Amino acid sequence: MDFDESLLPRTRVRDALSSHARPGACLVKGWVRTVRAGKNVAFLAVNDGSCLDSLQAVVDSSLQNYPEIRKVATGACVAVRGELVPSPAKGQAMELQVQQLEILGEADPQYPLQKKRHSFEYLRSIAHLRVRSNTFGAVFRMRSALSFAVHQFFRDRGFLYVHTPIITANDCEGAGEMFRVTILDPRNPPLNDGMIDWSQDFFGERTGLTVSGQLQGEAFATAFSDIYTFGPTFRAENSNTSRHAAEFWMIEPEMAFADLSENCRVAADFLRYLCRFALEECADDLKFFDTRIEKGLIDKLENLADAEFVTLSYTDAVKELQNCGEHFQFPVEWGCDLQSEHERFLTEKIVGGPLFVTDYPQQIKAFYMRSNDDGKTVAAMDCLVPRVGEIIGGSQREERHDVLVKRMIEAGIAPESLGWFLDLRRWGSCPHAGFGLGFERFLMYVTGMSNIRDVIPFPRTTGNAAF
């Protein structure tokens, strides 16, 4: 029979197991994690995703459909009504003495998430089901909670949330690693002097999926002062490492009237806020990660939440690395991009905590970063943290029209292709700055998960767009 939820509304497992739960009538709906069925009694662990733990449902053989209940398999979806009572079993405060049990959806014996440990690699092959496991339940509750925290942080500080376009004709990073968006027939595209005639495409020009919302964000910052974007970005980088995905989410604040120092301050506050939020709002899931995924994770987050961030110029960082006596796989010299091994050594051995490296060589940074007076460096910053290295990248933006045009030409970017972006420097330009935080990279840090494919619901990577 169906349960009338107007008489007895559904209780989430999280609430049934909380310290505030009171004995009484209770209706729970969820999925069966484990079943132990005997002749006279059956124990079902029911989980609805609201928390890590499952609620034990105790079924007595006096129930009319007990023979059917004994056959309930792991993975089945059930609705259970009964009396919530203090549990005599160790490790749980409450259990449900079942009075009625309805099977909403059966599961056959081929259900792949049986009671055993599965490798993360295998679970990626069943991404539509892995979210029912303990690890991925915790990962995606954390992802949801920290998504809220991102918006809360910026809302509390008066930032405007901007939805920047996913389809764009601009390559913000200038790396040419954009996914093409087109309706042209790949077997017979229109040609002009032997080249594809993009003017006949849907948008009348060559377009792709965005690698960043920054450029459009700058337009909004020159009207609303402080803005941020938080949305999907894409990069057609043929990389199969544990830190790269073709689709990922970026958080990109942009602040008018801010210099590099202010940019670093907001970035540090942001990281501290997210860590503190995770510690306070996601304690049960963090305890799971600390026990099962990365020992010392909670201490790591508490240290970052309370940390003072050191600032070191790129030039001084290179000197520190050259004089430290350490042998690196990639030699260090001024003008090279710092590798992960360099970044971790700086944070873990030289500074002993989080670090901003600033004022990078102009030739290894993007065209839009503000040129410093020395003519060799730009007002860029990377935020480095122990165990990971770079976690945030940003800069003060070049607000001077003539200097930006010169930098675009040097970078091989036709100024006329970004005329609207140059307009921002013609009409009411102002000093401004911003940064980007890859959401999945941060989730890896805060959960201890070592592969980016395991912190995004359905990963898109080289050779894989399943689900």
Side-chain angles (χ1 to χ4, degrees):
M1 63 176 292
D2 293 335
F3 300 143
D4 187 349
E5 293 193 37
S6 64
L7 300 176
L8 184 62
R10 179 170 71 95
T11 297
R12 293 188 182 274
V13 169
R14 176 192 61 217
D15 298 327
L17 293 175
S18 77
S19 59
H20 305 294
R22 295 289 180 267
C26 182
L27 169 63
V28 169
K29 297 182 179 182
W31 293 266
V32 176
R33 287 286 178 87
T34 60
V35 182
R36 290 183 291 124
K39 183 178 179 181
N40 298 316
V41 66
F43 301 93
L44 280 67
V46 180
N47 188 283
D48 63 1
S50 60
C51 65
L52 186 66
D53 294 322
S54 298
L55 177 65
Q56 178 167 274
V58 183
V59 188
D60 187 83
S61 59
S62 60
L63 257 66
Q64 184 176 0
N65 63 338
Y66 186 72
E68 179 186 2
I69 293 171
R70 285 187 64 189
K71 298 177 184 178
V72 170
T74 298
C77 185
V78 296
V80 189
R81 191 179 76 178
E83 195 77 9
L84 194 65
V85 299
S87 175
K90 185 179 180 181
Q92 59 183 21
M94 308 294 280
E95 67 181 25
L96 189 65
Q97 296 288 342
V98 177
Q99 297 166 348
Q100 288 179 286
L101 187 148
E102 179 186 359
I103 301 172
L104 301 177
E106 296 181 350
D108 64 36
Q110 280 71 50
Y111 181 65
L113 287 176
Q114 298 299 326
K115 190 179 179 182
K116 64 178 182 179
R117 187 177 292 272
H118 300 284
S119 71
F120 291 156
E121 184 176 6
Y122 169 71
L123 290 171
R124 284 176 216 132
S125 71
I126 53 168
H128 57 308
L129 297 173
R130 68 175 179 171
V131 290
R132 300 188 195 180
S133 68
N134 283 339
T135 298
F136 289 96
V139 165
F140 293 113
R141 278 189 296 272
M142 181 71 74
R143 185 180 178 112
S144 175
L146 289 177
S147 295
F148 172 82
V150 168
H151 292 295
Q152 190 70 50
F153 175 85
F154 289 113
R155 186 178 186 274
D156 287 349
R157 287 155 181 78
F159 280 63
L160 182 85
Y161 178 35
V162 182
H163 298 129
T164 52
I166 288 175
I167 299 173
T168 179
N170 309 129
D171 182 358
C172 177
E173 300 300 326
E177 295 170 340
M178 298 176 69
F179 287 101
R180 194 62 53 209
V181 174
T182 180
I183 62 168
L184 297 181
D185 185 348
R187 296 164 298 181
N188 186 31
L191 301 176
N192 185 4
D193 291 333
M195 304 293 289
I196 293 177
D197 184 2
W198 297 104
S199 68
Q200 296 189 45
D201 205 352
F202 185 90
F203 294 105
E205 60 181 319
R206 186 162 59 177
T207 54
L209 299 179
T210 187
V211 301
S212 169
Q214 179 205 314
L215 302 188
Q216 293 86 356
E218 288 191 45
F220 270 68
T222 58
F224 295 96
S225 299
D226 296 324
I227 67 95
Y228 72 104
T229 75
F230 183 13
T233 52
F234 308 84
R235 195 156 298 181
E237 185 176 3
N238 191 12
S239 176
N240 203 28
T241 77
S242 62
R243 290 168 58 85
H244 289 88
E247 179 184 54
F248 52 98
W249 284 62
M250 285 286 289
I251 303 149
E252 297 178 291
E254 201 70 32
M255 298 162 285
F257 319 116
D259 59 11
L260 187 63
S261 176
E262 173 69 3
N263 202 30
C264 291
R265 186 191 65 78
V266 174
D269 287 348
F270 186 42
L271 281 180
R272 283 190 287 251
Y273 180 91
L274 292 180
C275 289
R276 182 57 57 196
F277 186 95
L279 289 163
E280 294 176 355
E281 301 294 332
C282 310
D284 289 342
D285 288 325
L286 274 184
K287 184 178 179 181
F288 171 84
F289 292 128
D290 191 86
T291 302
R292 300 287 187 90
I293 305 299
E294 181 186 328
K295 301 291 185 184
L297 175 69
I298 291 176
D299 288 342
K300 180 184 77 173
L301 296 180
E302 286 178 341
N303 289 337
L304 187 57
D306 297 329
E308 292 297 324
F309 286 65
V310 174
T311 300
L312 197 64
S313 73
Y314 169 90
T315 299
D316 288 341
V318 168
K319 289 178 182 177
E320 292 280 0
L321 292 168
Q322 289 176 330
N323 297 331
C324 70
E326 182 77 7
H327 176 73
F328 295 107
Q329 180 183 354
F330 297 94
V332 182
E333 59 181 30
W334 200 96
C336 74
D337 210 352
L338 297 181
Q339 302 296 317
S340 180
E341 60 173 338
H342 308 143
E343 295 171 342
R344 290 192 57 180
F345 192 88
L346 286 167
T347 60
E348 295 168 17
K349 304 297 183 182
I350 293 178
V351 172
L355 165 71
F356 285 106
V357 176
T358 65
D359 303 306
Y360 281 78
Q362 180 174 282
Q363 69 267 24
I364 63 173
K365 289 296 182 180
F367 72 93
Y368 52 74
M369 297 185 177
R370 194 181 200 278
S371 296
N372 290 328
D373 293 341
D374 60 15
K376 298 188 300 180
T377 63
V378 290
M381 66 85 162
D382 284 341
C383 180
L384 316 180
V385 294
R387 304 194 197 188
V388 170
E390 181 195 346
I391 199 166
I392 282 178
S395 72
Q396 186 173 338
R397 315 309 192 189
E398 183 55 78
E399 84 279 13
R400 298 164 294 186
H401 182 275
D402 56 337
V403 179
L404 182 58
V405 169
K406 181 174 179 290
R407 288 284 289 121
M408 292 173 72
I409 293 172
E410 290 172 350
I413 299 171
E416 59 271 18
S417 70
L418 281 172
W420 67 269
F421 190 63
L422 289 170
D423 282 349
L424 302 178
R425 276 71 180 170
R426 295 174 59 200
W427 301 314
S429 185
C430 67
H432 59 290
F435 62 82
L437 170 64
F439 192 42
E440 285 75 23
R441 292 277 183 93
F442 181 73
L443 285 169
M444 290 169 67
Y445 183 80
V446 83
T447 61
M449 300 296 283
S450 60
N451 197 309
I452 196 170
R453 296 165 177 83
D454 296 330
V455 294
I456 193 167
F458 299 101
R460 270 68 179 111
T461 55
T462 304
N464 175 56
F467 310 102

